[in-house]
Amino acid sequence: AQTVTQSQPEMSVQEAETVTLSCTYDTSESNYYLFWYKQPPSRQMILVIRQEAYKQQNATENRFSVNFQKAAKSFSLKISDSQLGDTAMYFCAFMEDSNYQLIWGAGTKLIIKP
Amino acid sequence: SAVISQKPSRDICQRGTSLTIQCQVDSQVTMMFWYRQQPGQSLTLIATANQGSEATYESGFVIDKFPISRPNLTFSTLTVSNMSPEDSSIYLCSVHDPNTGELFFGEGSRLTVL
């Protein structure tokens, strides 16, 4: 069975710093998707970034980028120039190509301090 | 991207009563999912609801406790029956975009059972 592990329950950095959130997963599949979702206190689940496993190039969305290491089954999220609005829970999630159910990590609470 | 509206946003209910949560999508979607997020936890899939067929429930969830309706391609309801304080959670509706592989979420319904 697929599993997703986020080993950092909570992280805290100063505004404008760079922070990296870690995520590892376990699967025997070769085709899959990986996601980072953000859940601020408003509880709306927002997609931050997605990565298709068949793509070697790391996904980037403005200040957000991933380091996707397929062989190591690692999918970390880097947030550059962090902002107060980045304060939220961040969830890493895995989805098989043929099954649209998400497998979720436990989440990392990120606090950006002014 | 899909826009999802959930009602109610929050409610406080008495033990033993039932509550129905509505999920409305602004476009036709095949697959809809209902998740539960207990306080401080990650998301747990309750069931997958496809239009025209019975919902598929995950281990630990049964139809008698969480009946689901899916009358058309833009709407679904989840009922939490015979509630107890252990049912106090956020319940989220989500839909799958087959073109991008991503899931979009409603704002969630925060349920408190006294």
Side-chain angles (χ1 to χ4, degrees):
Chain A
Q2 291 86 0
T3 59
V4 177
T5 302
Q6 292 179 250
S7 59
Q8 305 150 313
E10 184 171 324
M11 296 187 71
S12 179
V13 298
Q14 294 293 137
E15 190 177 9
E17 289 183 348
T18 294
V19 60
T20 298
L21 309 182
S22 66
C23 173
T24 58
Y25 59 96
D26 188 25
T27 183
S28 58
E29 301 293 323
S30 57
N31 296 320
Y32 50 88
Y33 296 91
L34 292 162
F35 305 88
W36 278 98
Y37 279 88
K38 166 185 176 180
Q39 188 178 38
S42 65
R43 75 174 179 266
Q44 174 83 54
M45 194 69 76
I46 302 166
L47 179 67
V48 175
I49 201 164
R50 62 191 289 271
Q51 174 84 43
E52 293 94 334
Y54 66 85
K55 290 187 177 179
Q56 293 186 341
Q57 186 173 6
N58 289 325
T60 299
E61 288 288 343
N62 300 316
R63 298 182 296 108
F64 299 88
S65 61
V66 299
N67 183 4
F68 174 47
Q69 301 290 329
K70 190 172 184 179
K73 297 179 182 176
S74 172
F75 183 60
S76 61
L77 174 70
K78 185 172 81 170
I79 305 174
S80 304
D81 185 24
S82 58
Q83 301 174 359
L84 297 178
D86 295 333
T87 293
M89 284 291 293
Y90 286 81
F91 293 96
C92 178
F94 167 98
M95 182 172 71
E96 288 180 31
D97 189 26
S98 58
N99 180 340
Y100 306 118
Q101 297 177 9
L102 284 173
I103 309 298
W104 296 86
T108 297
K109 183 177 182 180
L110 177 64
I111 300 170
I112 309 299
K113 297 180 289 186
Chain B
S1 63
V3 177
I4 304 170
S5 301
Q6 268 188 250
K7 292 181 183 178
S9 175
R10 60 177 65 223
D11 208 340
I12 300 173
C13 304
Q14 295 299 317
R15 180 195 300 260
T17 63
S18 298
L19 178 75
T20 296
I21 302 167
Q22 299 179 2
C23 178
Q24 179 74 54
V25 189
D26 68 343
S27 59
Q28 293 185 338
V29 293
T30 302
M31 304 184 75
M32 297 180 74
F33 304 90
W34 286 98
Y35 285 90
R36 182 175 72 182
Q37 186 178 25
Q38 294 179 304
Q41 303 294 315
S42 185
L43 279 71
T44 301
L45 181 65
I46 297 171
T48 302
N50 293 334
Q51 194 269 337
S53 63
E54 293 287 328
T56 302
Y57 289 82
E58 297 300 305
S59 176
F61 298 96
V62 295
I63 188 171
D64 289 346
K65 176 66 175 178
F66 297 100
I68 289 171
S69 76
R70 184 77 202 276
N72 56 54
L73 291 174
T74 63
F75 187 78
S76 179
T77 66
L78 169 75
T79 298
V80 186
S81 303
N82 188 24
M83 288 183 286
S84 66
E86 292 71 34
D87 294 320
S88 297
S89 289
I90 297 171
Y91 293 85
L92 297 110
C93 167
S94 72
V95 302
H96 173 254
D97 184 337
N99 296 317
T100 64
E102 63 184 269
L103 264 65
F104 297 95
F105 286 84
E107 294 179 346
S109 300
R110 184 184 295 274
L111 177 61
T112 301
V113 184
L114 303 178

